[in-house]
mmCIF file of all heavy atoms in Angstrom:
data_model
loop_
_atom_site.group_PDB
_atom_site.id
_atom_site.type_symbol
_atom_site.label_atom_id
_atom_site.label_comp_id
_atom_site.label_asym_id
_atom_site.label_seq_id
_atom_site.Cartn_x
_atom_site.Cartn_y
_atom_site.Cartn_z
ATOM 1 N N ILE P 1 -6.405 -26.960 -29.263
ATOM 2 C CA ILE P 1 -7.594 -27.666 -28.809
ATOM 3 C C ILE P 1 -7.516 -27.950 -27.305
ATOM 4 O O ILE P 1 -8.492 -27.782 -26.571
ATOM 5 C CB ILE P 1 -7.824 -28.977 -29.611
ATOM 6 C CG1 ILE P 1 -9.038 -29.744 -29.057
ATOM 7 C CG2 ILE P 1 -6.588 -29.867 -29.615
ATOM 8 C CD1 ILE P 1 -10.344 -28.979 -29.089
ATOM 9 N N GLY P 2 -6.335 -28.344 -26.844
ATOM 10 C CA GLY P 2 -6.167 -28.627 -25.424
ATOM 11 C C GLY P 2 -6.279 -27.380 -24.569
ATOM 12 O O GLY P 2 -6.876 -27.400 -23.478
ATOM 13 N N LYS P 3 -5.701 -26.304 -25.050
ATOM 14 C CA LYS P 3 -5.758 -25.044 -24.303
ATOM 15 C C LYS P 3 -7.189 -24.527 -24.193
ATOM 16 O O LYS P 3 -7.607 -24.028 -23.141
ATOM 17 C CB LYS P 3 -4.841 -24.009 -24.960
ATOM 18 C CG LYS P 3 -3.364 -24.365 -24.835
ATOM 19 C CD LYS P 3 -2.482 -23.421 -25.638
ATOM 20 C CE LYS P 3 -1.015 -23.839 -25.539
ATOM 21 N NZ LYS P 3 -0.128 -22.994 -26.370
ATOM 22 N N GLU P 4 -7.949 -24.648 -25.279
ATOM 23 C CA GLU P 4 -9.341 -24.199 -25.263
ATOM 24 C C GLU P 4 -10.204 -25.100 -24.376
ATOM 25 O O GLU P 4 -11.094 -24.623 -23.665
ATOM 26 C CB GLU P 4 -9.905 -24.165 -26.680
ATOM 27 C CG GLU P 4 -9.369 -23.028 -27.529
ATOM 28 C CD GLU P 4 -9.755 -21.658 -26.981
ATOM 29 O OE1 GLU P 4 -10.888 -21.496 -26.492
ATOM 30 O OE2 GLU P 4 -8.901 -20.743 -27.034
ATOM 31 N N LEU P 5 -9.936 -26.407 -24.424
ATOM 32 C CA LEU P 5 -10.683 -27.340 -23.583
ATOM 33 C C LEU P 5 -10.386 -27.093 -22.111
ATOM 34 O O LEU P 5 -11.291 -27.092 -21.261
ATOM 35 C CB LEU P 5 -10.322 -28.787 -23.964
ATOM 36 C CG LEU P 5 -11.063 -29.899 -23.212
ATOM 37 C CD1 LEU P 5 -12.569 -29.771 -23.372
ATOM 38 C CD2 LEU P 5 -10.585 -31.268 -23.703
ATOM 39 N N ASN P 6 -9.123 -26.854 -21.810
ATOM 40 C CA ASN P 6 -8.715 -26.565 -20.440
ATOM 41 C C ASN P 6 -9.385 -25.282 -19.930
ATOM 42 O O ASN P 6 -9.896 -25.226 -18.801
ATOM 43 C CB ASN P 6 -7.200 -26.432 -20.373
ATOM 44 C CG ASN P 6 -6.687 -26.333 -18.958
ATOM 45 O OD1 ASN P 6 -6.848 -27.250 -18.159
ATOM 46 N ND2 ASN P 6 -6.082 -25.201 -18.614
ATOM 47 N N LYS P 7 -9.405 -24.275 -20.787
ATOM 48 C CA LYS P 7 -10.028 -22.996 -20.422
ATOM 49 C C LYS P 7 -11.525 -23.169 -20.173
ATOM 50 O O LYS P 7 -12.085 -22.623 -19.204
ATOM 51 C CB LYS P 7 -9.791 -21.983 -21.541
ATOM 52 C CG LYS P 7 -10.386 -20.605 -21.274
ATOM 53 C CD LYS P 7 -10.156 -19.674 -22.467
ATOM 54 C CE LYS P 7 -10.857 -18.337 -22.257
ATOM 55 N NZ LYS P 7 -10.721 -17.453 -23.440
ATOM 56 N N LEU P 8 -12.182 -23.924 -21.043
ATOM 57 C CA LEU P 8 -13.613 -24.176 -20.890
ATOM 58 C C LEU P 8 -13.910 -24.837 -19.543
ATOM 59 O O LEU P 8 -14.822 -24.424 -18.813
ATOM 60 C CB LEU P 8 -14.106 -25.082 -22.026
ATOM 61 C CG LEU P 8 -15.524 -25.638 -21.860
ATOM 62 C CD1 LEU P 8 -16.552 -24.580 -22.210
ATOM 63 C CD2 LEU P 8 -15.727 -26.889 -22.709
ATOM 64 N N LEU P 9 -13.132 -25.872 -19.227
ATOM 65 C CA LEU P 9 -13.379 -26.606 -17.988
ATOM 66 C C LEU P 9 -13.100 -25.758 -16.759
ATOM 67 O O LEU P 9 -13.822 -25.841 -15.756
ATOM 68 C CB LEU P 9 -12.548 -27.895 -17.974
ATOM 69 C CG LEU P 9 -13.050 -28.962 -18.955
ATOM 70 C CD1 LEU P 9 -12.063 -30.115 -19.053
ATOM 71 C CD2 LEU P 9 -14.422 -29.485 -18.551
ATOM 72 N N LEU P 10 -12.068 -24.928 -16.832
ATOM 73 C CA LEU P 10 -11.803 -24.017 -15.710
ATOM 74 C C LEU P 10 -12.994 -23.084 -15.498
ATOM 75 O O LEU P 10 -13.404 -22.830 -14.360
ATOM 76 C CB LEU P 10 -10.532 -23.205 -15.966
ATOM 77 C CG LEU P 10 -9.203 -23.941 -15.791
ATOM 78 C CD1 LEU P 10 -8.048 -23.064 -16.259
ATOM 79 C CD2 LEU P 10 -8.986 -24.349 -14.324
ATOM 80 N N ASP P 11 -13.560 -22.609 -16.588
ATOM 81 C CA ASP P 11 -14.738 -21.739 -16.508
ATOM 82 C C ASP P 11 -15.935 -22.473 -15.909
ATOM 83 O O ASP P 11 -16.810 -21.849 -15.292
ATOM 84 C CB ASP P 11 -15.121 -21.212 -17.890
ATOM 85 C CG ASP P 11 -14.135 -20.174 -18.418
ATOM 86 O OD1 ASP P 11 -13.350 -19.637 -17.608
ATOM 87 O OD2 ASP P 11 -14.139 -19.915 -19.643
ATOM 88 N N LYS P 12 -15.958 -23.800 -16.088
ATOM 89 C CA LYS P 12 -17.059 -24.606 -15.553
ATOM 90 C C LYS P 12 -16.763 -25.154 -14.166
ATOM 91 O O LYS P 12 -17.541 -25.927 -13.604
ATOM 92 C CB LYS P 12 -17.355 -25.780 -16.512
ATOM 93 C CG LYS P 12 -17.764 -25.356 -17.919
ATOM 94 C CD LYS P 12 -19.053 -24.568 -17.923
ATOM 95 C CE LYS P 12 -19.465 -24.178 -19.343
ATOM 96 N NZ LYS P 12 -20.710 -23.379 -19.366
ATOM 97 N N GLY P 13 -15.592 -24.784 -13.614
ATOM 98 C CA GLY P 13 -15.270 -25.209 -12.257
ATOM 99 C C GLY P 13 -14.490 -26.497 -12.139
ATOM 100 O O GLY P 13 -14.491 -27.143 -11.085
ATOM 101 N N ILE P 14 -13.784 -26.882 -13.236
ATOM 102 C CA ILE P 14 -13.037 -28.143 -13.252
ATOM 103 C C ILE P 14 -11.574 -27.895 -13.631
ATOM 104 O O ILE P 14 -11.285 -27.163 -14.583
ATOM 105 C CB ILE P 14 -13.644 -29.124 -14.285
ATOM 106 C CG1 ILE P 14 -15.100 -29.453 -13.937
ATOM 107 C CG2 ILE P 14 -12.804 -30.394 -14.380
ATOM 108 C CD1 ILE P 14 -15.294 -30.290 -12.697
ATOM 109 N N VAL P 15 -10.646 -28.531 -12.891
ATOM 110 C CA VAL P 15 -9.218 -28.459 -13.187
ATOM 111 C C VAL P 15 -8.773 -29.809 -13.743
ATOM 112 O O VAL P 15 -8.996 -30.850 -13.120
ATOM 113 C CB VAL P 15 -8.395 -28.126 -11.924
ATOM 114 C CG1 VAL P 15 -6.897 -28.050 -12.268
ATOM 115 C CG2 VAL P 15 -8.863 -26.818 -11.294
ATOM 116 N N LEU P 16 -8.167 -29.811 -14.929
ATOM 117 C CA LEU P 16 -7.620 -31.040 -15.511
ATOM 118 C C LEU P 16 -6.267 -31.343 -14.866
ATOM 119 O O LEU P 16 -5.347 -30.541 -14.952
ATOM 120 C CB LEU P 16 -7.458 -30.881 -17.022
ATOM 121 C CG LEU P 16 -8.735 -30.980 -17.861
ATOM 122 C CD1 LEU P 16 -8.445 -30.589 -19.307
ATOM 123 C CD2 LEU P 16 -9.307 -32.382 -17.817
ATOM 124 N N ILE P 17 -6.164 -32.494 -14.247
ATOM 125 C CA ILE P 17 -4.943 -32.867 -13.530
ATOM 126 C C ILE P 17 -4.058 -33.793 -14.371
ATOM 127 O O ILE P 17 -2.868 -33.552 -14.535
ATOM 128 C CB ILE P 17 -5.285 -33.564 -12.196
ATOM 129 C CG1 ILE P 17 -6.209 -32.682 -11.342
ATOM 130 C CG2 ILE P 17 -4.015 -33.915 -11.430
ATOM 131 C CD1 ILE P 17 -5.625 -31.354 -10.938
ATOM 132 N N SER P 18 -4.640 -34.883 -14.891
ATOM 133 C CA SER P 18 -3.894 -35.821 -15.752
ATOM 134 C C SER P 18 -4.680 -36.048 -17.038
ATOM 135 O O SER P 18 -5.865 -36.398 -16.990
ATOM 136 C CB SER P 18 -3.692 -37.175 -15.051
ATOM 137 O OG SER P 18 -2.769 -37.085 -14.006
ATOM 138 N N TRP P 19 -4.024 -35.842 -18.177
ATOM 139 C CA TRP P 19 -4.656 -36.062 -19.479
ATOM 140 C C TRP P 19 -4.481 -37.532 -19.858
ATOM 141 O O TRP P 19 -3.363 -37.983 -20.128
ATOM 142 C CB TRP P 19 -4.033 -35.156 -20.533
ATOM 143 C CG TRP P 19 -4.331 -33.705 -20.320
ATOM 144 C CD1 TRP P 19 -3.986 -32.949 -19.232
ATOM 145 C CD2 TRP P 19 -5.050 -32.832 -21.200
ATOM 146 N NE1 TRP P 19 -4.440 -31.658 -19.391
ATOM 147 C CE2 TRP P 19 -5.095 -31.550 -20.591
ATOM 148 C CE3 TRP P 19 -5.647 -33.002 -22.449
ATOM 149 C CZ2 TRP P 19 -5.719 -30.461 -21.189
ATOM 150 C CZ3 TRP P 19 -6.266 -31.905 -23.054
ATOM 151 C CH2 TRP P 19 -6.302 -30.663 -22.423
ATOM 152 N N ILE P 20 -5.572 -38.277 -19.901
ATOM 153 C CA ILE P 20 -5.513 -39.719 -20.128
ATOM 154 C C ILE P 20 -6.393 -40.092 -21.316
ATOM 155 O O ILE P 20 -7.575 -39.756 -21.358
ATOM 156 C CB ILE P 20 -5.994 -40.492 -18.876
ATOM 157 C CG1 ILE P 20 -5.145 -40.115 -17.656
ATOM 158 C CG2 ILE P 20 -5.944 -42.007 -19.123
ATOM 159 C CD1 ILE P 20 -5.739 -40.574 -16.341
ATOM 160 N N TRP P 21 -5.814 -40.794 -22.280
ATOM 161 C CA TRP P 21 -6.557 -41.292 -23.439
ATOM 162 C C TRP P 21 -6.532 -42.808 -23.447
ATOM 163 O O TRP P 21 -5.542 -43.427 -23.044
ATOM 164 C CB TRP P 21 -5.954 -40.769 -24.739
ATOM 165 C CG TRP P 21 -6.231 -39.322 -25.000
ATOM 166 C CD1 TRP P 21 -5.472 -38.251 -24.614
ATOM 167 C CD2 TRP P 21 -7.362 -38.770 -25.673
ATOM 168 N NE1 TRP P 21 -6.051 -37.076 -25.017
ATOM 169 C CE2 TRP P 21 -7.225 -37.356 -25.676
ATOM 170 C CE3 TRP P 21 -8.500 -39.327 -26.291
ATOM 171 C CZ2 TRP P 21 -8.159 -36.513 -26.264
ATOM 172 C CZ3 TRP P 21 -9.425 -38.479 -26.872
ATOM 173 C CH2 TRP P 21 -9.250 -37.095 -26.860
ATOM 174 N N GLN P 22 -7.621 -43.399 -23.935
ATOM 175 C CA GLN P 22 -7.676 -44.856 -24.063
ATOM 176 C C GLN P 22 -8.332 -45.255 -25.380
ATOM 177 O O GLN P 22 -9.341 -44.667 -25.781
ATOM 178 C CB GLN P 22 -8.492 -45.467 -22.923
ATOM 179 C CG GLN P 22 -7.806 -45.382 -21.570
ATOM 180 C CD GLN P 22 -8.580 -46.169 -20.541
ATOM 181 O OE1 GLN P 22 -9.438 -45.637 -19.859
ATOM 182 N NE2 GLN P 22 -8.288 -47.451 -20.437
ATOM 183 N N ALA P 23 -7.761 -46.256 -26.025
ATOM 184 C CA ALA P 23 -8.385 -46.815 -27.221
ATOM 185 C C ALA P 23 -9.533 -47.713 -26.784
ATOM 186 O O ALA P 23 -9.551 -48.236 -25.673
ATOM 187 C CB ALA P 23 -7.369 -47.607 -28.027
ATOM 188 N N GLY P 24 -10.495 -47.884 -27.697
ATOM 189 C CA GLY P 24 -11.641 -48.719 -27.357
ATOM 190 C C GLY P 24 -11.811 -49.893 -28.295
ATOM 191 O O GLY P 24 -11.259 -49.925 -29.394
ATOM 192 N N GLY P 25 -12.602 -50.846 -27.843
ATOM 193 C CA GLY P 25 -12.940 -52.015 -28.637
ATOM 194 C C GLY P 25 -14.415 -52.325 -28.470
ATOM 195 O O GLY P 25 -15.156 -51.566 -27.846
ATOM 196 N N VAL P 26 -14.831 -53.469 -29.021
ATOM 197 C CA VAL P 26 -16.236 -53.869 -28.943
ATOM 198 C C VAL P 26 -16.337 -55.317 -28.483
ATOM 199 O O VAL P 26 -15.727 -56.206 -29.078
ATOM 200 C CB VAL P 26 -16.942 -53.748 -30.316
ATOM 201 C CG1 VAL P 26 -18.449 -53.976 -30.154
ATOM 202 C CG2 VAL P 26 -16.670 -52.407 -30.966
ATOM 203 N N ALA P 27 -17.099 -55.529 -27.418
ATOM 204 C CA ALA P 27 -17.421 -56.886 -26.980
ATOM 205 C C ALA P 27 -18.845 -57.177 -27.412
ATOM 206 O O ALA P 27 -19.734 -56.339 -27.232
ATOM 207 C CB ALA P 27 -17.307 -56.989 -25.461
ATOM 208 N N SER P 28 -19.065 -58.337 -28.010
ATOM 209 C CA SER P 28 -20.409 -58.656 -28.501
ATOM 210 C C SER P 28 -20.777 -60.116 -28.223
ATOM 211 O O SER P 28 -19.907 -60.968 -28.061
ATOM 212 C CB SER P 28 -20.528 -58.343 -29.995
ATOM 213 O OG SER P 28 -19.446 -58.879 -30.726
ATOM 214 N N ARG P 29 -22.069 -60.360 -28.179
ATOM 215 C CA ARG P 29 -22.568 -61.664 -27.769
ATOM 216 C C ARG P 29 -22.733 -62.653 -28.924
ATOM 217 O O ARG P 29 -22.338 -63.807 -28.829
ATOM 218 C CB ARG P 29 -23.919 -61.502 -27.058
ATOM 219 C CG ARG P 29 -23.854 -60.649 -25.815
ATOM 220 C CD ARG P 29 -25.233 -60.325 -25.250
ATOM 221 N NE ARG P 29 -25.799 -61.472 -24.555
ATOM 222 C CZ ARG P 29 -26.966 -62.027 -24.857
ATOM 223 N NH1 ARG P 29 -27.684 -61.556 -25.866
ATOM 224 N NH2 ARG P 29 -27.404 -63.060 -24.180
#
């Protein structure tokens, strides 16, 4: 999946430099 994503982005003119993931949460009123 990473190799295909990297290839896609290179084809679109983008180089992946740092692979960063973040978990998310929900803030509500």
Side-chain angles (χ1 to χ4, degrees):
I1 177 59
K3 292 173 182 177
E4 287 296 321
L5 182 57
N6 188 62
K7 180 182 175 184
L8 169 78
L9 289 171
L10 285 172
D11 288 343
K12 300 297 181 181
I14 299 291
V15 180
L16 283 171
I17 305 298
S18 289
W19 292 61
I20 302 167
W21 287 90
Q22 290 188 268
V26 188
S28 48
R29 300 171 76 237

